[in-house]
């Protein structure tokens, strides 16, 4: 059990979910928190991660760091999505084990489920049929991460829990046009198309300075080298925005708008994560109270001695196969991407046209998760999508004034 003095390391504490988890823990009185920016600690660097754990010796770890992006990024950076995420996961989870961390919470994604999984998707749908091709690499990396948690628990008696959030949005979201997720990308595109129509170049330049575009090879072929920010000419900015489907009072979005998606406010996700971190053990998930949910491995000078097998292992053969121990985190509610666009249009006050480019991929047709296990473990969401879109737009506007 973690008390208010427990040292908790949050990997990815500047990100969408990590920052919300950090704030949630502070609000609950957990003040002994540690975090490192990517510049301070590269989680893909095995030796650097070991040095960090040697020095800090955290009691608990929240692994919220990941290499992420939307459907376009998943197509462009396939090797990065699998390699970067695998490196981070392996380094952090292994060092958590070798340094005797009491509790670890791993954050994955519901893209782990098969493209044609029965809806709503239960945890036991994992690995039952092929994945959606457009995000296969990221999904495989996240499946490996949750299986690492499960396997360390079964072999070494650790207490590592994996949670699989649905599509997230909220404060500190990524609004960069090249690699953001669907809602912030859609919101920024619609906002900029409105500004172009109004001729509000002061606001356009503020927005572009806040989040400049780092051109892809295809965009560089159109506008030349160099980032696109507010100091560029109007012509260069307009060409760059048009590349992403942003024009005068007109926005082009990928697909036909028919896919169904579930969205969870990031601060709700943080609250669910902290609830699980503080109140849920591996034994609760598999329903076996006698399971060794506390680490029993022999240690030498505070570290694990792998050559000493005394007390190792939590798996009891008579229990049979234990799998799908992760927890879905979401609302259990869905809407179409087109309906989401209509909510964003209304919130932004956009009066132009939204065009759907059905030559571009839709992604998975439907991604609704079953949250029965989460509810059974004592947590339900609070923020509904209609309020959440307004809250996100307010945060986005405030970010431009900073």
């Amino acid at each position: 059990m973690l008390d208010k003095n427990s040292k908790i390391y949050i990997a990815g504490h500047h990100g969408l979910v990590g920052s919300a988890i950090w704030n949630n823990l502070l609000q609950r009185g957990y003040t002994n928190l540690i975090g490192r920016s990517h510049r301070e600690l590269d989680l893909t660097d095995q030796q650097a991660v070991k040095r960090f754990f040697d020095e800090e010796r955290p009691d608990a770890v929240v692994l919220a760091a990941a290499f992420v992006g939307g459907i376009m990024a998943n197509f462009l950076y396939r090797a990065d999505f699998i390699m970067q995420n695998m490196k981070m996961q392996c380094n952090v989870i292994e060092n958590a084990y070798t340094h005797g961390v009491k509790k670890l919470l791993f954050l994955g994604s519901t893209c782990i489920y098969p493209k044609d999984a029965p809806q709503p998707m239960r945890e036991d749908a994992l690995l039952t049929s092929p994945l959606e091709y457009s995000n296969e690499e990221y999904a495989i990396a996240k499946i490996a991460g949750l299986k690492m948690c499960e396997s360390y628990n079964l072999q070494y008696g650790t207490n590592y829990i994996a949670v699989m959030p649905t599509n997230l949005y909220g404060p500190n979201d990524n609004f960069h046009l090249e690699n953001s997720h669907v809602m912030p990308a859609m919101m920024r595109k619609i906002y900029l198309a409105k500004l172009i129509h109004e001729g509000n170049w002061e606001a356009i330049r503020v927005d572009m300075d806040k989040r400049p575009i780092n051109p892809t090879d295809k965009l560089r072929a159109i506008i030349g080298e160099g980032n696109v920010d507010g100091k560029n000419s109007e012509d260069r900015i307009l060409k760059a925005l048009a590349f992403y489907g942003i024009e005068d009072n007109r926005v082009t979005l990928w697909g036909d708008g028919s896919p169904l998606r579930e969205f969870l406010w990031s601060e709700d996700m943080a609250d669910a994560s902290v609830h699980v971190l503080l109140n849920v053990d591996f034994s609760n998930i598999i329903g076996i109270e006698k399971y060794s949910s506390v680490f029993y491995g022999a240690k030498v000078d505070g570290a694990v001695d792998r050559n000493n097998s005394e007390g190792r292992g939590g798996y009891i053969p008579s229990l049979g196969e234990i799998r799908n121990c992760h927890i879905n985190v979401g609302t259990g509610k869905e809407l179409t991407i087109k309906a989401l666009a209509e909510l964003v249009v209304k919130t932004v006050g956009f009066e132009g046209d939204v065009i759907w480019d059905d030559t571009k991929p839709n992604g998975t047709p439907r991604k609704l998760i079953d949250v029965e296990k989460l509810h059974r473990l004592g947590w339900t969401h609070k923020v509904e999508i209609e309020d959440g879109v307004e809250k996100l737009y307010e945060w986005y506007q405030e970010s431009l004034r900073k």
Side-chain angles (χ1 to χ4, degrees):
M1 183 65 182
L2 300 175
D3 59 35
K4 297 292 176 66
N5 296 316
S6 298
K7 181 184 282 191
I8 304 174
Y9 167 48
I10 302 173
H13 74 297
H14 287 317
L16 173 65
V17 185
S19 62
I21 290 174
W22 183 287
N23 292 332
N24 189 288
L25 282 164
L26 285 178
Q27 291 165 9
R28 293 174 184 244
Y30 290 79
T31 58
N32 193 7
L33 308 179
I34 50 174
R36 294 289 186 274
S37 67
H38 176 71
R39 182 176 298 178
E40 294 169 319
L41 176 61
D42 180 359
L43 294 178
T44 68
D45 184 334
Q46 187 177 39
Q47 293 306 312
V49 175
K50 182 181 184 302
R51 285 194 298 271
F52 168 78
F53 275 83
D54 286 344
E55 294 166 5
E56 294 293 345
R57 301 281 175 181
D59 298 302
V61 169
V62 176
L63 181 45
F67 185 85
V68 299
I71 190 168
M72 181 183 292
N74 275 275
F75 270 109
L76 292 173
Y77 310 117
R78 302 187 77 92
D80 288 339
F81 270 94
I82 192 165
M83 181 59 77
Q84 299 297 324
N85 285 296
M86 287 292 295
K87 282 182 177 179
M88 286 190 275
Q89 294 163 190
C90 289
N91 290 339
V92 173
I93 294 173
E94 168 67 358
N95 276 282
Y97 167 66
T98 57
H99 291 81
V101 166
K102 297 176 185 175
K103 190 79 173 279
L104 182 141
L105 185 72
F106 172 76
L107 276 68
S109 166
T110 53
C111 73
I112 63 169
Y113 293 115
K115 178 176 181 177
D116 298 318
Q119 304 286 322
M121 298 180 291
R122 294 169 50 87
E123 285 86 355
D124 58 11
L126 183 67
L127 298 176
T128 56
S129 60
L131 298 164
E132 160 62 35
Y133 178 74
S134 63
N135 59 16
E136 194 173 47
E137 283 72 17
Y138 183 70
I140 289 172
K142 288 301 179 181
I143 291 169
L146 75 86
K147 282 295 182 182
M148 285 180 70
C149 292
E150 194 175 278
S151 300
Y152 271 74
N153 291 342
L154 296 176
Q155 183 171 347
Y156 296 117
T158 50
N159 195 15
Y160 301 165
I161 313 294
V163 290
M164 300 296 124
T166 190
N167 300 287
L168 300 173
Y169 68 105
N172 294 315
D173 217 331
N174 176 12
F175 283 81
H176 289 273
L177 295 174
E178 309 93 84
N179 57 8
S180 56
H181 284 125
V182 59
M183 192 186 302
M186 181 187 292
M187 186 171 285
R188 189 181 181 197
K189 287 178 178 182
I190 290 171
Y191 171 67
L192 286 169
K194 178 186 176 185
L195 294 182
I196 294 171
H197 182 66
E198 295 171 351
N200 191 346
W201 277 95
E202 180 181 356
I204 292 171
R205 293 185 186 281
V206 167
D207 186 277
M208 297 302 297
D209 274 334
K210 186 71 176 181
R211 298 175 177 88
I213 296 172
N214 179 19
T216 62
D217 290 340
K218 288 184 178 179
L219 180 54
R220 276 194 292 271
I222 299 170
I223 64 170
E225 296 292 333
N227 285 357
V228 184
D229 57 27
K231 293 175 279 296
N232 283 211
S233 68
E234 291 184 11
D235 181 64
R236 191 167 192 262
I237 291 174
L238 288 173
K239 285 180 179 178
L241 294 181
F243 179 80
Y244 292 104
I246 306 164
E247 301 170 274
D248 182 350
N249 227 27
R250 174 187 170 107
V251 171
T252 302
L253 302 176
W254 278 30
D256 61 15
S258 66
L260 288 156
R261 289 292 181 271
E262 174 183 11
F263 293 93
L264 179 67
W265 182 245
S266 61
E267 292 174 334
D268 270 359
M269 174 58 196
D271 194 62
S273 298
V274 174
H275 174 80
V276 170
L277 180 70
L278 301 180
N279 301 296
V280 178
D281 291 324
F282 188 61
S283 59
N284 303 131
I285 295 171
I286 63 176
I288 301 169
E289 295 303 327
K290 292 182 180 180
Y291 176 84
S292 169
S293 61
V294 179
F295 179 78
Y296 290 116
K299 298 180 184 179
V300 177
D301 296 329
V304 170
D305 177 8
R306 271 192 150 127
N307 295 317
N308 188 330
S309 62
E310 180 183 352
R312 278 174 47 184
Y315 180 55
I316 304 170
S318 62
L319 298 177
E321 295 182 353
I322 296 175
R323 55 163 60 96
N324 302 323
C325 302
H326 55 287
I327 306 168
N328 287 340
V329 181
T331 65
K333 301 179 180 182
E334 63 187 344
L335 77 168
T336 65
I337 295 298
K338 186 169 286 187
L340 174 66
E342 290 168 0
L343 276 177
V344 174
V345 163
K346 179 182 177 181
T347 301
V348 175
F350 181 64
E351 297 179 351
D353 297 321
V354 175
I355 308 300
W356 297 93
D357 182 359
D358 59 10
T359 66
K360 296 293 194 297
N362 273 326
T364 306
R366 192 181 183 202
K367 276 181 62 177
L368 179 66
I369 56 172
D370 184 300
V371 289
E372 181 185 350
K373 182 188 288 189
L374 179 66
H375 290 174
R376 194 167 64 245
L377 293 168
W379 189 91
T380 56
H381 76 283
K382 301 173 183 66
V383 178
E384 300 295 349
I385 186 68
E386 295 81 6
D387 295 331
V389 169
E390 291 185 2
K391 286 160 68 76
L392 181 64
Y393 187 59
E394 289 171 5
W395 181 89
Y396 174 51
Q397 292 295 293
E398 181 62 30
S399 76
L400 296 172
R401 292 190 283 269
K402 293 179 181 178

